[in-house]
Amino acid sequence: MQEPAITEELIASHGINPEEYAEILKILDREPTFTELGIFSAMWNEHCSYKSSKKWLRTLPTSGPQVICGPGENAGVVDIGDGQAVIFKMESHNHPSYIEPYQGAATGVGGILRDVFTMGARPIAAMNSLSFGEPSHPKTRQLVHGVVEGVGGYGNCFGVPTVGGEVRFDPAYNGNCLVNAFAAGLADADAIFYSAASGVGMPVVYLGAKTGRDGVGGATMASAEFDDTIEEKRPTVQVGDPFTEKRLMEATLELMQTGAVISIQDMGAAGLTCSAVEMGDKGGLGIRLKLDDVPQREAQMTAYEMMLSESQERMLMVLKPEKEAEARAVFDKWDLDFAIVGETIAEDRFVIEMGGKVWADVPLSKLSSSAPEYDRPWVETEAPEALTDEDLPSVDPIDGLKALIGSPNYCSRQWVYEQYDSMVMADTARGPGQGSGILRVHGSGKALAFTSDVTPRYVKANPFEGGKQAVAEAYRNLVATGAKPLATTDNLNFGNPEKPEIMGQFVGAIKGIGEAVAALDMPIVSGNVSLYNETDGTGILPTPTIGAVGLIADIDKAITGTARDGHVALLLGDAGSHLGQSALLAEVFNRTDGDAPHVDLEAEAKHGQFILDNIDWIKVCTDISDGGLAVAAFELAEAAGVGVTLDTGDQQELFGEDQGRYLIACNFDSAEALMVAAGRAGVSITTVGKFGGDSVTYGGVSAPLEELSALYRGAFGETFA
């Protein structure tokens, strides 16, 4: 088996720059083998090493009394009381989904589910955040169909409810869609499993499906820009099997009950390489692998292919040797592979053997904790000038509403979420399409709420305020269900970090996110960074997605009601005025100018606490975000099948996207009680209209609710069906 010669072209094709290659030569004191080059490429790329982002990720608040485990493990772990923990994370599968939409999205779901059950949790919920190019682009329809079918195909077969998410369209994603997958699970707080290896001479065990050639080099591909060679990258996309994953989950959770597991790690990006290196590095140990013993589904695989394969549904663990027979019996029962493929060693070495030959022998710590780290140059994004009244065109209020609710960005997503099973496991209290998803904590009176949020046009205009706003909207979406926000996970999607203006977007957003999660007590406990989301030099909108989880201590007090005829419409917060970067400007006038709305974090916390403190008076609530009061009032009315009248016809009050605001629907007695409470709390609550009838009326201009509802519910399917 002859390996190719190491050439400048080969080095460059592995995403290793000349300075990094010089460092490899220094570490090894010799030229690397082809397999070693592949290992360094896998571990030193952005997807695995975070070499451009580590400096800034360290500034994020990650701890709090509710946090059991923050970033650095497969997923974050947060205490929810009664000896229970929720385990969750969000992760990207952007590049694979653009190349091969169905499998890219499907294996993104599979990977995030493994991150959760690897830690001993049974998955209970999934979400996704999807960003596509403009609907008229020739590739968008194929991507939408493939990605949605992939998400549903894997999640539905695995048997986890999809309870929320978001879908957006913008020309900036024409060459690079985003697929961000979220999963959460439940576990006993004192039975969490971690990935750090311990003990010398302990068996390293391969678990799950066999290794093939699919996904070889996937992590390196995910750390590079696209160009006109994109179709050549199709073999780097993994192929998933949700039924095997379901068996792998059951076998893994059963295995954990035997006491055999010292440490365990999902084989995700960079497969066998990354899982082995991370387990060894976290435990301060070396690893020796014998690839002859790795279960294979293809003949004559090379060491390079086996180390870089990203075949799905696989795990790696360090085993208590006296428990081998008991552990093996579990995997035999589930008809899955169980093979001892190596051992832990005291030396700081990563040794790969096959066919009586050593194919790689490198210092293990240099691959992970001592990987390169960059302080990329960056330039701060200049905030745009605020719009003046003279800058603002005007539109009839109902025509403006129609333009928004009939657009792919703000119409109903039911065409998407009806393809997902949101009720499997029978604990879903509120599924997609109505704000945050809500799941009962099985066998208890508690519930968890889940949301995913970001407004990329805000982040592009003003990364700092846009980063704050993503967290603040997630906070409001949870509070609007009656949930106390607990913690967040982030998926930071940006373009090429070697461009100072792109790195400036990243730095600004991180600063905003950090300030917001600190002020709102929602620490970041897990996450993912996806860079180089560019095609032919054109980058995506900066898209730092925030996934958040909240706790409803008593599910009987969850805010899940619908508006009724005669309900008063109450606005918590000030009247709208900000139209810069608004949905109205973008959808009606094709403009993206002005500054992003600024976020008053003190007001956000105060208004959120007011909702939670007065939950007995509040049965119907939504936050006000894209499209302002006009869209929020319509969505409450449409969900209830009842009309709504807003007293104002002022464009800024109707469509302004000022932050920190909620719309509440309640009876007259509750409205009076809330106004009294608001006076005591020092917050602003005003009556802005009422629910009832069969029309939507804004400032005296009306349209039948039935007509608007048909537009709202039919627009997505008409565009993509």
Side-chain angles (χ1 to χ4, degrees):
M1 200 182 298
Q2 186 67 35
E3 291 196 324
I6 306 299
T7 63
E8 289 184 5
E9 292 76 18
L10 190 67
I11 295 165
S13 72
H14 280 73
I16 295 172
N17 64 39
E19 293 76 20
E20 289 170 348
Y21 186 67
E23 183 63 21
I24 292 171
L25 293 177
K26 183 178 175 183
I27 289 169
L28 298 178
D29 197 26
R30 58 175 171 79
E31 183 180 85
T33 66
F34 180 55
T35 300
E36 289 171 340
L37 184 71
I39 288 171
F40 274 104
S41 169
M43 293 305 302
W44 283 12
N45 65 56
E46 290 286 354
H47 197 75
C48 293
S49 74
Y50 295 86
K51 59 189 175 186
S52 296
S53 56
K54 279 191 286 192
K55 168 185 168 68
W56 297 102
L57 295 177
R58 293 191 190 100
T59 68
L60 290 171
T62 59
S63 60
Q66 70 273 46
V67 179
I68 295 173
C69 177
E73 274 294 337
N74 288 289
V77 185
V78 177
D79 192 342
I80 61 169
D82 304 311
Q84 292 178 302
V86 59
I87 298 175
F88 62 94
K89 186 183 182 183
M90 182 173 271
E91 198 164 76
S92 63
H93 232 223
N94 303 336
H95 284 48
S97 297
Y98 189 77
I99 298 169
E100 175 44 69
Y102 184 93
Q103 289 297 347
T107 53
V109 173
I112 200 66
L113 290 169
R114 286 196 305 280
D115 281 336
V116 167
F117 70 74
T118 297
M119 299 195 70
R122 181 173 291 277
I124 60 165
M127 293 191 297
N128 52 81
S129 177
L130 312 176
S131 304
F132 299 104
E134 57 194 330
S136 60
H137 189 273
K139 195 171 174 69
T140 299
R141 188 175 184 279
Q142 174 210 354
L143 289 172
V144 169
H145 276 263
V147 166
V148 170
E149 289 168 11
V151 169
Y154 204 101
N156 296 351
C157 293
F158 181 86
V160 63
T162 298
V163 298
E166 52 187 344
V167 185
R168 68 181 56 83
F169 299 89
D170 190 275
Y173 304 105
N174 280 347
N176 204 130
C177 67
L178 302 183
V179 175
N180 294 175
F182 169 99
L186 282 176
D188 292 337
D190 60 356
I192 308 299
F193 288 79
Y194 299 100
S195 59
S198 64
V200 175
M202 297 294 106
V204 175
V205 183
Y206 175 113
L207 305 168
K210 289 178 168 55
T211 294
R213 290 186 171 91
D214 55 316
V216 172
T220 301
M221 174 272 293
S223 303
E225 295 183 29
F226 284 151
D227 54 29
D228 56 10
T229 65
I230 184 172
E231 288 301 319
E232 298 172 13
K233 297 179 172 67
R234 193 172 299 275
T236 64
V237 178
Q238 311 89 335
V239 178
D241 178 355
F243 299 106
T244 297
E245 176 120 333
K246 177 71 170 176
R247 287 184 290 124
L248 179 61
M249 179 192 72
E250 297 296 351
T252 301
L253 295 179
E254 187 174 332
L255 173 72
M256 289 168 171
Q257 300 301 311
T258 68
V261 179
I262 294 175
S263 63
I264 190 163
Q265 175 77 34
D266 157 47
M267 282 196 228
L272 194 52
T273 291
C274 191
S275 55
V277 168
E278 289 191 354
M279 286 205 306
D281 190 55
K282 289 174 184 175
L285 296 168
I287 300 279
R288 176 182 285 109
L289 295 179
K290 298 179 179 180
L291 300 187
D292 300 283
D293 298 324
V294 170
Q296 301 164 50
R297 69 167 184 261
E298 298 187 44
Q300 297 181 315
M301 288 189 70
T302 65
Y304 177 96
E305 290 171 330
M306 291 170 67
M307 293 307 297
L308 275 80
S309 167
E310 294 183 9
S311 294
Q312 297 292 285
E313 293 88 39
R314 302 180 301 160
M315 315 274 271
L316 200 66
M317 81 163 173
V318 178
L319 169 75
K320 293 178 182 176
E322 68 276 12
K323 294 280 190 175
E324 178 188 341
E326 191 175 354
R328 186 183 295 276
V330 170
F331 274 74
D332 286 346
K333 167 187 164 184
W334 288 99
D335 194 24
L336 293 165
D337 281 298
F338 178 104
I340 295 176
V341 296
E343 63 178 346
T344 59
I345 57 177
E347 299 84 8
D348 180 24
R349 295 168 63 202
F350 190 41
V351 183
I352 308 302
E353 300 174 355
M354 188 172 72
K357 179 179 176 180
V358 174
W359 295 89
D361 188 348
V362 302
L364 186 143
S365 63
K366 297 296 184 183
L367 296 169
S368 185
S369 58
S370 300
E373 182 176 336
Y374 295 126
D375 186 1
R376 301 276 191 200
W378 59 279
V379 294
E380 187 170 353
T381 305
E382 289 189 26
E385 291 186 11
L387 295 180
T388 65
D389 290 344
E390 291 73 34
D391 293 326
L392 297 172
S394 60
V395 66
D396 174 272
I398 294 299
D399 287 345
L401 177 66
K402 287 180 178 179
L404 289 173
I405 64 174
S407 74
N409 273 315
Y410 303 108
C411 66
S412 169
R413 298 325 198 220
Q414 69 184 77
W415 183 91
V416 175
Y417 63 70
E418 284 178 353
Q419 298 184 53
Y420 306 150
D421 189 338
S422 61
M423 302 305 292
V424 64
M425 301 177 75
D427 280 319
T428 303
R430 187 166 78 174
Q434 306 171 68
S436 296
I438 303 174
L439 280 172
R440 303 175 194 87
V441 176
H442 198 75
S444 79
K446 299 180 295 191
L448 291 167
F450 303 93
T451 188
S452 167
D453 298 285
V454 66
T455 308
R457 65 180 184 275
Y458 291 171
V459 186
K460 183 178 182 182
N462 189 327
F464 178 70
E465 290 297 333
K468 283 166 61 179
Q469 191 275 339
V471 176
E473 186 173 347
Y475 172 85
R476 291 196 304 273
N477 275 327
L478 294 177
V479 166
T481 69
K484 175 180 172 54
L486 289 177
T488 53
T489 180
D490 58 12
N491 204 146
L492 307 174
N493 308 273
F494 289 82
N496 185 344
E498 297 169 46
K499 298 177 179 178
E501 66 274 15
I502 300 296
M503 198 65 206
Q505 292 175 348
F506 183 86
V507 172
I510 285 280
K511 289 181 176 181
I513 290 168
E515 188 169 303
V517 297
L520 301 176
D521 190 23
M522 298 168 68
I524 299 279
V525 297
S526 60
N528 171 250
V529 178
S530 176
L531 302 176
Y532 295 97
N533 289 289
E534 299 200 2
T535 296
D536 294 327
T538 301
I540 60 164
L541 291 177
T543 311
T545 310
I546 299 295
V549 178
L551 177 65
I552 301 171
D554 180 356
I555 193 170
D556 291 335
K557 292 189 175 183
I559 304 173
T560 58
T562 55
R564 294 201 312 268
D565 200 337
H567 268 173
V568 177
L570 293 179
L571 171 66
L572 172 59
D574 297 329
S577 63
H578 188 96
L579 284 174
Q581 299 297 329
S582 66
L584 183 76
L585 279 187
E587 297 294 340
V588 178
F589 302 106
N590 197 29
R591 288 173 52 178
T592 54
D593 49 350
D595 197 3
H598 286 223
V599 180
D600 182 340
L601 291 169
E602 184 177 348
E604 290 282 2
K606 193 172 186 178
H607 292 174
Q609 194 58 51
F610 177 82
I611 296 284
L612 297 178
D613 287 344
N614 292 278
I615 202 165
D616 289 340
W617 299 105
I618 302 171
K619 304 304 178 189
V620 186
C621 182
T622 185
D623 87 302
I624 297 175
S625 54
D626 297 85
L629 177 63
V631 169
F634 167 77
E635 289 180 343
L636 282 188
E638 202 277 336
V642 64
V644 62
T645 298
L646 294 180
D647 300 329
T648 183
D650 181 85
Q651 182 167 281
Q652 289 171 273
E653 292 184 9
L654 283 171
F655 296 102
E657 295 181 5
D658 309 68
Q659 300 296 294
R661 303 187 300 154
Y662 300 81
L663 181 63
I664 298 166
C666 59
N667 60 34
F668 186 78
D669 290 346
S670 296
E672 279 194 326
L674 286 169
M675 287 181 171
V676 171
R680 291 175 182 153
V683 300
S684 171
I685 274 196
T686 52
T687 303
V688 292
K690 63 181 180 180
F691 291 89
D694 56 8
S695 296
V696 174
T697 304
Y698 293 166
V701 184
S702 296
L705 176 64
E706 184 178 8
E707 173 192 325
L708 296 175
S709 180
L711 174 66
Y712 176 65
R713 292 190 176 268
F716 203 101
E718 286 181 11
T719 304
F720 295 107

